[in-house]
Amino acid sequence: MPYQLPANFLWGGATADFQFEGGFNEGGRGLLSHDFETDGSLKIPRHHTMTLPNGEIIKPKSSFFLAEKVPENAQPIFLEDEYYPSHKAVDFYHRYKEDIALMAGMGFNVFRFSICWTRIFPTGEEEKPNEEGLAFYDNVISEMLKYGMEPLITICHDELPMALALKYDGWSSRHVINAYLKYCKVLFERFGDRCRYWLTFNEINAVRGFGPTGVRNPDGQDRYQAVHHMFVASAKAVKLGHEMMPGSQFGAMYAMSELYPASSKPEDVFHRLQARRENWYFIDTMGRGYYHPYVKEIWRKHGVKNIKMDSDDQILLKEGQLDFISFSYYRSNVTQAGDPWFNVGGSPNPNLETTPWGWSVDPLGLRHVMNEIYDRIQKPIFIVENGMGAIDEPDQNGNVQDDYRIKYLRDHLRAMADAILIDGVDCLGYTMWGPIDLVSLSTGEMKKRYGFIYVDMDDKGKGSLDRTPKKSYYWMKKVIETKGAYLNDDYPTP
Ligand code: BGP
């Protein structure tokens, strides 16, 4: 079947504030938990820098997948000999006009970005929002609309005002729901007339650690309690958003790698079902509006004794259901009976090639995931992150010939088109992760690049920060221009 996607299909890119903006102490912005995260690599995990009352420095691991405990009396501290990538990131804060123009040059009709909570409420609890922060996003949105780019706004991308983390133990407290709602209301008031698509949380099924949730003991009981509060916060935001902005569309975003049983042994296949439910837990509850019976078994496995709920929480979940389901897809993994429950994501798929960061490349897995979600929830879906983190070496003229990225994207876009055109999946759009190179979330590196546009900067923030389109930029421009027809075999492929 020829690849030709509907005229209203949304094509674009996706970013997150603390990986992209920089300007961490400008415009009245308050501190985020991420501001205290160092850089790292595949071998050396990123860490927070903190201090104890006796002056001792501690460095808890900041990986958002791992549950690392943070002592109750630890306070964040900046150390002179550490590099903190969020502080400068790649400087979108000062270069947004140039960056948006570059993205518009590829024909993007959507751009997903996240609003930095502490630009709007520096500690999360001020009575009035910070006007300078609102003005920044106002300018960003106006600039996008100038080029016909639809905003897709992530309200909270794995982040929390540091003040809320320290004061309330983050999302383990219901107080944070009120702070989040206050923040949402301001965004809806200011931007609601111009922004239709909203995501309440990013990868809510993956966030566990202190960085994104502010929970110091993110195991079992506390984690699932925090997640319940996030479910309620999301539902309230959706309800409020629908009231304040008729016609608005709400999603939340889930990390959805493909997951296969390691073999056809019944035990492995059943284990896969159970491991997958660790993700369905989030999508089902928010997408269908209620906790399913299987959640009891999940709580039992994680040592959860009791989730405290207010009497109207269940009604809220129902009323604040999502309009669409959005997700990130990068790779596939395998799982087998006996794998520990903290490793629900599985291990790299041995049948596939991997990226330099060990992520298995699996385009068909994307088609499978799209079908799985759509079959289950029967609401439109939106692929809001996908892409290949690779090492790009500019040639002597400063150009990057990234044929490997073109191949990765071509194969994934074809799989996506198959799911839409052959399987009948209702998919609103596709936003490639990091259209302009930005800081990696998992490792804090700069050399793990995703972009169509090269940024001259190294892992320690050195470089001119100049932007240069890569070969993939011109390729993707053609794909968008032809609404996917450029994916057909009659066009040149690398
Ligand atoms: C997702 C996050 C993004 C992003 C992406 C790529 O988990 O939502 O913030 O960074 O993954 O991951 P990484 O940056 O670790 O390569």
Side-chain angles (χ1 to χ4, degrees):
M1 180 178 293
Y3 297 113
Q4 186 75 67
L5 289 165
N8 61 354
F9 190 76
L10 294 168
W11 297 94
T15 60
D17 53 281
F18 59 91
Q19 295 171 263
F20 196 41
E21 282 178 8
F24 89 112
N25 56 4
E26 291 179 65
R29 178 188 181 281
L31 292 171
L32 285 175
S33 42
H34 282 296
D35 296 332
F36 295 88
E37 277 179 301
T38 65
D39 61 326
S41 67
L42 252 190
K43 293 202 181 100
I44 307 167
R46 310 181 71 179
H47 50 260
H48 294 280
T49 50
M50 304 193 92
T51 178
L52 297 175
N54 64 6
E56 190 191 333
I57 301 291
I58 55 163
K59 298 184 174 181
K61 270 192 226 137
S62 64
S63 164
F64 62 107
F65 290 108
L66 294 174
E68 176 95 5
K69 286 189 188 168
V70 173
E72 243 168 58
N73 48 4
Q75 292 292 320
I77 187 173
F78 290 128
L79 301 176
E80 265 176 29
D81 55 348
E82 293 283 7
Y83 178 63
Y84 299 95
S86 75
H87 295 194
K88 178 154 88 168
V90 293
D91 200 30
F92 176 73
Y93 188 67
H94 297 107
R95 294 166 199 249
Y96 68 91
K97 285 195 181 166
E98 177 194 351
D99 286 351
I100 291 170
L102 276 165
M103 292 190 276
M106 297 173 75
F108 280 12
N109 56 3
V110 65
F111 173 45
R112 173 182 173 225
F113 64 98
S114 72
I115 291 187
C116 176
W117 191 337
T118 56
R119 281 201 193 284
I120 312 301
F121 286 102
T123 67
E125 293 198 295
E126 288 77 5
E127 261 182 37
K128 294 213 168 100
N130 170 31
E131 285 299 326
E132 244 186 294
L134 287 167
F136 170 65
Y137 293 109
D138 215 356
N139 293 338
V140 167
I141 291 167
S142 304
E143 200 64 19
M144 289 167 58
L145 294 177
K146 205 164 96 184
Y147 296 103
M149 245 185 250
E150 180 111 40
L152 168 58
I153 298 183
T154 314
I155 298 171
C156 181
H157 193 113
D158 304 4
E159 70 182 28
L160 193 67
M162 188 44 120
L164 292 180
L166 296 174
K167 185 165 171 192
Y168 296 115
D169 202 13
W171 280 101
S172 38
S173 158
R174 279 190 90 97
H175 284 286
V176 179
I177 302 179
N178 300 336
Y180 177 84
L181 257 288
K182 185 167 69 168
Y183 162 54
C184 288
K185 186 160 181 265
V186 167
L187 302 187
F188 301 162
E189 262 160 17
R190 290 300 173 105
F191 309 131
D193 57 336
R194 290 174 292 161
C195 303
R196 197 162 32 137
Y197 293 105
W198 300 84
L199 305 178
T200 54
F201 289 102
N202 181 69
E203 291 195 344
I204 180 169
N205 57 326
V207 295
R208 294 180 180 200
F210 181 71
T213 62
V215 178
R216 287 170 190 261
N217 176 14
D219 266 340
Q221 182 67 43
D222 282 6
R223 179 193 181 222
Y224 280 90
Q225 186 64 58
V227 163
H228 177 71
H229 293 152
M230 292 167 95
F231 286 163
V232 172
S234 173
K236 285 188 167 194
V238 173
K239 252 187 96 178
L240 182 71
H242 284 159
E243 279 160 25
M244 292 177 65
M245 307 177 291
S248 55
Q249 295 283 300
F250 277 80
M253 195 279 220
Y254 307 92
M256 284 299 276
S257 302
E258 175 57 291
L259 189 65
Y260 301 108
S263 80
S264 54
K265 284 188 206 148
E267 295 77 15
D268 288 346
V269 175
F270 192 71
H271 182 85
R272 188 268 177 196
L273 172 94
Q274 287 187 302
R276 202 52 159 172
R277 281 184 171 163
E278 303 268 344
N279 289 318
W280 295 132
Y281 181 94
F282 294 82
I283 300 185
D284 283 342
T285 312
M286 300 172 79
R288 300 163 106 176
Y290 58 95
Y291 279 114
H292 284 236
Y294 66 76
V295 303
K296 291 209 172 112
E297 174 58 6
I298 291 185
W299 290 337
R300 189 195 62 76
K301 279 191 318 226
H302 291 281
V304 177
K305 300 219 162 49
N306 170 39
I307 299 288
K308 283 191 227 102
M309 299 190 194
D310 276 8
S311 53
D312 60 350
D313 282 2
Q314 307 270 7
I315 300 166
L316 268 168
L317 292 181
K318 191 108 237 153
E319 292 175 346
Q321 279 177 63
L322 302 173
D323 301 308
F324 64 91
I325 306 296
S326 69
F327 63 98
S328 63
Y329 176 86
Y330 291 93
R331 53 178 158 171
S332 68
N333 284 330
V334 294
T335 189
Q336 58 192 344
D339 275 356
W341 288 114
F342 59 78
N343 183 23
V344 289
S347 321
N349 190 330
N351 301 304
L352 300 169
E353 284 181 11
T354 57
T355 69
W357 277 265
W359 293 14
S360 313
V361 177
D362 184 2
L364 188 56
L366 172 61
R367 181 172 171 184
H368 188 223
V369 166
M370 290 173 73
N371 275 282
E372 246 195 332
I373 297 175
Y374 189 60
D375 286 354
R376 189 169 184 118
I377 309 292
Q378 301 193 337
K379 289 184 179 175
I381 65 165
F382 203 147
I383 303 166
V384 297
E385 280 186 32
N386 171 242
M388 181 190 193
I391 295 172
D392 294 331
E393 302 282 2
D395 61 20
Q396 65 277 24
N397 303 317
N399 295 319
V400 174
Q401 311 294 337
D402 53 346
D403 291 322
Y404 39 90
R405 182 168 292 109
I406 296 176
K407 183 173 177 344
Y408 178 101
L409 292 173
R410 183 202 58 194
D411 294 348
H412 283 76
L413 289 172
R414 284 179 170 181
M416 173 190 83
D418 286 341
I420 297 170
L421 301 171
I422 301 174
D423 308 330
V425 172
D426 182 1
C427 178
L428 300 170
Y430 174 92
T431 56
M432 205 272 291
W433 174 250
I436 297 175
D437 291 341
L438 41 63
V439 176
S440 158
L441 176 71
S442 54
T443 66
E445 290 166 299
M446 194 57 209
K447 68 169 169 291
K448 188 180 188 189
R449 295 171 185 274
Y450 286 87
F452 297 116
I453 296 155
Y454 187 82
V455 174
D456 176 30
M457 189 176 120
D458 70 13
D459 288 344
K460 295 289 178 192
K462 299 219 168 59
S464 66
L465 272 81
D466 285 352
R467 278 56 170 153
T468 312
K470 304 177 195 175
K471 185 174 176 184
S472 56
Y473 179 95
Y474 302 100
W475 177 83
M476 190 66 186
K477 183 178 160 73
K478 286 275 186 203
V479 173
I480 298 175
E481 223 167 67
T482 60
K483 311 213 179 318
Y486 203 65
L487 298 166
N488 288 309
D489 274 339
D490 32 354
Y491 290 103
T493 49

